[in-house]
């Protein structure tokens, strides 16, 4: 694996690979890698000639300075994990390299951008869109891999690619969970032992809720999940939503949407966790 920090050097390395006819599989991350990231990378490696991973903690997608400051950074451990999945190129730029000037682009994702994470983290998806567009333009990947853990982010990226006619195929990848059901996340390492013990209740409650889909209406299911999560004192809820799987708008009747997903966001201590589970 070669590690590259400059855009010019990355472009030169990629040109060589492209001249040889190798396809490029790209996995953008913010580091503190775990098995969820590695699954995306294994798939990207299998489906392409060259695996390119970026690690960049993108300051402009954080709407909370403390979250940015405390975001885990473990470059040595990350490099070892990247070697284990035979990553070819790690692109790890500094902030100044990605933003020599502030990027003032202002994207409008319409209804999709206004709900859930869009509502609770103002500016977050604009920051994501700016960095992902830059990374796509620098890397020019054939395929880029994104996790359904960040379901709304994935939908935003798919919309961005369509809006701008970007020549890249977006590949959605299933959520990877710990043995006890907790969705893997770089932020999990900030949980205390006691918080970590409580965290799998999210998965348990979502699983039970989905099993009740034939007896509860969407509103009843949403209410049930809200009550169950609220009963756990350690959780401070941001939202529980049951939404269609395209524009992520609230579902009133199960028949209204071909696909429905339940979404939650909550604080456990200082750590904000999100999760989702498909209902239909
Ligand atoms: P992040 O480093 O958190 O920005 O995540 C980088 C990519 O990995 C995003 O596409 C995430 O959706 C994906 N990802 C993170 N956690 C998981 C997980 N538990 N399962 C599947 N994909 C994940």
């Amino acid at each position: 694996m070669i590690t590259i920090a400059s855009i010019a050097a990355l472009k030169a390395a990629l040109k060589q690979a492209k001249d040889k006819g190798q396809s490029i599989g790209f996995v953008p991350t913010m580091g503190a890698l775990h098995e969820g990231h590695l699954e995306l990378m294994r798939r990207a490696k299998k489906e392409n000639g060259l695996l390119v991973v970026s690690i960049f903690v993108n300051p402009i997608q954080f709407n909370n300075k403390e979250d940015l400051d405390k975001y885990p950074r473990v470059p040595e451990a990350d490099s070892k994990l990247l070697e284990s999945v035979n990553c070819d190129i790690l692109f790890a730029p500094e902030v100044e390299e990605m933003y020599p000037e502030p990027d003032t682009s202002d994207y409008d994702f319409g209804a999709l951008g206004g709900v859930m994470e869009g509502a609770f983290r103002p500016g977050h998806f604009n920051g994501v869109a700016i960095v992902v567009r830059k990374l796509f333009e620098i890397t020019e990947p054939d395929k880029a891999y994104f996790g359904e853990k960040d379901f709304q982010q994935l939908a935003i990226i798919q919309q961005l690619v369509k809006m701008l006619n970007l020549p890249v195929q977006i590949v959605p990848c299933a959520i990877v969970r710990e043995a006890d059901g907790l969705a893997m996340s770089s932020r999990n390492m900030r949980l205390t032992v006691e918080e970590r013990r409580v965290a799998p209740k999210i998965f348990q409650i979502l699983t039970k809720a989905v099993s009740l889909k034939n007896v509860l209406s969407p509103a009843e299911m949403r209410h049930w999940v809200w009550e169950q999560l609220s009963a756990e004192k350690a959780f401070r809820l941001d939202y529980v939503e049951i939404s269609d799987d395209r524009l992520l708008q609230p579902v009133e009747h199960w028949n209204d949407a071909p696909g429905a997903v339940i979404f939650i966001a909550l604080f456990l201590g200082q750590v904000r966790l999100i999760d989702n589970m498909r209902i239909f």
Side-chain angles (χ1 to χ4, degrees), residues 28-31 34 36-37 40 71 145-150 153 173-177 183-186:
T29 80
M30 298 203 298
H34 51 66
H37 297 114
L40 271 58
Y71 201 85
Y145 298 76
F146 289 85
E148 290 179 343
K149 159 84 185 354
D150 302 281
Q153 169 176 279
C173 301
I175 301 179
V176 179
R177 298 180 179 279
M184 289 192 182
S185 165
S186 306

Side-chain angles (χ1 to χ4, degrees), residues 112 116 148 151-152 154-156 158 242-251 256-263 276-280:
L112 179 57
M116 299 191 287
E148 290 179 343
F151 199 99
Q152 192 175 9
L154 169 61
I156 290 275
Q158 281 167 325
I242 294 176
S243 309
D244 75 87
D245 61 358
R246 301 284 158 87
L247 286 177
L248 312 193
Q249 301 305 297
V251 168
D256 288 352
V261 179
I262 183 159
F263 296 90
N276 68 81
M277 197 174 282
R278 182 168 286 280
I279 306 167
F280 288 107

Side-chain angles (χ1 to χ4, degrees), residues 10 14 23 36 49 53 102 104 113 116 120 123 128 151 167 179 199 204 213 241 250 279:
L10 177 63
L14 290 174
S23 69
V53 172
T104 56
M116 299 191 287
F120 278 82
V128 169
F151 199 99
Q204 290 160 14
K213 64 186 175 191
E241 294 291 354
I279 306 167

Side-chain angles (χ1 to χ4, degrees), residues 52-251:
V52 180
V53 172
S54 64
I55 295 184
F56 179 63
V57 182
N58 176 34
I60 68 165
Q61 75 183 66
F62 285 80
N63 55 322
N64 176 329
K65 181 156 181 339
E66 195 188 340
D67 190 26
L68 172 62
D69 292 343
K70 296 216 169 131
Y71 201 85
R73 291 163 173 87
V74 287
E76 286 85 17
D78 284 350
S79 288
K80 286 203 187 100
L81 289 173
L82 289 169
E83 296 279 6
S84 79
V85 293
N86 296 315
C87 174
D88 297 290
I89 299 179
L90 165 61
F91 179 51
E94 297 293 335
V95 173
E96 296 70 33
E97 182 73 359
M98 290 299 282
Y99 299 111
E101 283 289 327
D103 187 325
T104 56
S105 310
D106 191 4
Y107 296 100
D108 182 357
F109 295 104
L112 179 57
V115 293
M116 299 191 287
E117 296 301 284
F120 278 82
R121 302 182 66 189
H124 169 64
F125 286 132
N126 204 58
V128 169
I130 287 173
V131 80
V132 169
R133 180 183 186 175
K134 274 179 185 271
L135 289 168
F136 282 176
E137 284 174 351
I138 296 164
T139 313
E140 296 183 358
D142 295 277
K143 295 184 181 181
Y145 298 76
F146 289 85
E148 290 179 343
K149 159 84 185 354
D150 302 281
F151 199 99
Q152 192 175 9
Q153 169 176 279
L154 169 61
I156 290 275
I157 303 292
Q158 281 167 325
Q159 189 161 319
L160 181 77
V161 163
K162 278 195 196 145
M163 267 162 53
L164 303 174
N165 298 104
L166 300 177
V168 54
Q169 185 189 332
I170 302 301
V171 184
C173 301
I175 301 179
V176 179
R177 298 180 179 279
E178 301 284 357
D180 60 13
L182 177 63
M184 289 192 182
S185 165
S186 306
R187 290 184 175 88
N188 291 351
M189 57 173 84
R190 291 183 49 214
L191 296 171
T192 65
V193 173
E194 178 54 19
E195 287 162 357
R196 179 62 188 81
R197 195 187 60 74
V198 173
K201 288 201 176 165
I202 299 169
F203 174 74
Q204 290 160 14
I205 292 168
L206 292 182
T207 307
K208 176 83 177 138
V210 170
S211 78
L212 296 173
K213 64 186 175 191
N214 294 324
V215 287
L216 298 181
S217 69
E220 287 166 342
M221 186 186 287
R222 180 169 178 263
H223 181 73
W224 187 86
V225 170
W226 186 279
E227 293 290 304
Q228 295 290 314
L229 289 171
S230 300
E232 175 49 62
K233 295 274 177 297
F235 293 156
R236 278 179 297 124
L237 273 59
D238 266 357
Y239 59 78
V240 175
E241 294 291 354
I242 294 176
S243 309
D244 75 87
D245 61 358
R246 301 284 158 87
L247 286 177
L248 312 193
Q249 301 305 297
V251 168

